[in-house]
Amino acid sequence: MSALVFACLDADTLGGIQRVTHTVAQGLAGRGHEVHVIGLHRARRPFRYVERPRYRRHVIHRTAAGPVGRAARRLADRRLRALFQRIGPGHVVMTSPAVVSRLLSLLPPDLSGIGHYHGSFEHARGTWHLGSVRRDWWRLEQAVFLSEDDAGLFAEHALLPNTWTLANPLPGWPGRTAELSARRVLGVGRLAGVKRFDRLISAFAAACERVP
């Protein structure tokens, strides 16, 4: 059975990419697959997503994400090549443009590369991400995005022939559906600007003016 590898810039920080990575890794490992999670850097404040992980975890750099010197880079390259060789044939899911740029040239022929972008096309267009996706992701076996609309936009504007869609997973499924009778709305996420809770509050304020 082929191995499955998930590579993050930092696999243990509190964040959406990390939660998706550990959720999928645990789910696949529980189904009998050989799964590895790689963090290129160590988390400043590690967060445990899975109490009893059934996958293998690896940290390459002993320092937090940031600039590294040439000697540290060469050492990390040797560690990564040795790790990929031990893992053997399979697939490497790279969870951001930065990780794709870092690992693409290090992948051996028997480990195919998959890029998984966790943001929207609009976000990518406003950052360096779109240029990075345009430059590198056509070389991957698959370029995976969160929605059909985003996959179509990336295919058009980044000239990608290999797009696919995969929504974020849930670690479990509720035993019953909500009755929609409670007059409450719950928003869950980090209290950070990128999560746009200000927009959520404004949206529900506008909705309350229209719906009793």
Side-chain angles (χ1 to χ4, degrees):
M1 184 180 294
S2 297
L4 297 163
V5 182
F6 294 85
C8 302
L9 194 63
D10 165 0
D12 297 307
T13 290
L14 181 62
I17 291 175
Q18 290 83 357
R19 177 172 291 281
V20 168
T21 296
H22 287 279
T23 298
V24 175
Q26 183 75 349
L28 291 172
R31 289 165 174 80
H33 294 277
E34 177 188 347
V35 182
H36 301 258
V37 172
I38 297 175
L40 297 183
H41 291 269
R42 185 172 298 281
R44 287 187 175 89
R45 296 180 179 177
F47 182 84
R48 181 181 291 274
Y49 288 95
V50 178
E51 282 298 322
R52 296 180 178 85
R54 303 179 68 175
Y55 48 89
R56 300 174 190 175
R57 300 169 67 244
H58 314 270
V59 177
I60 304 303
H61 288 282
R62 302 305 175 186
T63 58
V68 297
R70 292 182 180 179
R73 173 88 174 218
R74 287 194 296 268
L75 177 60
D77 286 354
R78 289 198 296 270
R79 287 174 175 166
L80 285 163
R81 288 193 174 100
L83 177 58
F84 291 151
Q85 187 174 8
R86 291 199 306 270
I87 289 173
H91 307 275
V92 179
V93 180
M94 295 166 279
T95 58
S96 71
V99 177
V100 172
S101 298
R102 179 73 177 86
L103 297 187
L104 189 56
S105 64
L106 302 178
L107 296 182
D110 59 354
L111 275 175
S112 61
I114 298 171
H116 191 185
Y117 191 67
H118 293 263
S120 66
F121 175 79
E122 289 299 322
H123 174 74
R125 187 170 63 174
T127 69
W128 58 271
H129 290 178
L130 182 58
S132 182
V133 169
R134 184 181 288 123
R135 182 182 65 248
D136 294 328
W137 288 44
W138 62 271
R139 300 160 58 192
L140 300 172
E141 179 179 332
Q142 208 83 65
V144 181
F145 304 98
L146 294 180
S147 70
E148 293 288 350
D149 288 344
D150 280 321
L153 288 168
F154 276 104
E156 177 183 356
H157 294 279
L159 303 179
L160 297 182
N162 55 350
T163 58
W164 195 257
T165 301
L166 185 66
N168 284 337
L170 292 172
W173 195 256
R176 60 186 180 87
T177 58
E179 298 175 355
L180 302 182
S181 57
R183 299 178 61 84
R184 296 188 182 91
V185 174
L186 179 65
V188 180
R190 288 181 292 117
L191 191 57
V194 69
K195 297 303 181 182
R196 297 311 305 264
F197 278 101
D198 58 331
R199 183 172 293 180
L200 180 66
I201 293 169
S202 298
F204 276 101
C208 286
E209 294 180 353
R210 300 183 183 183
V211 180

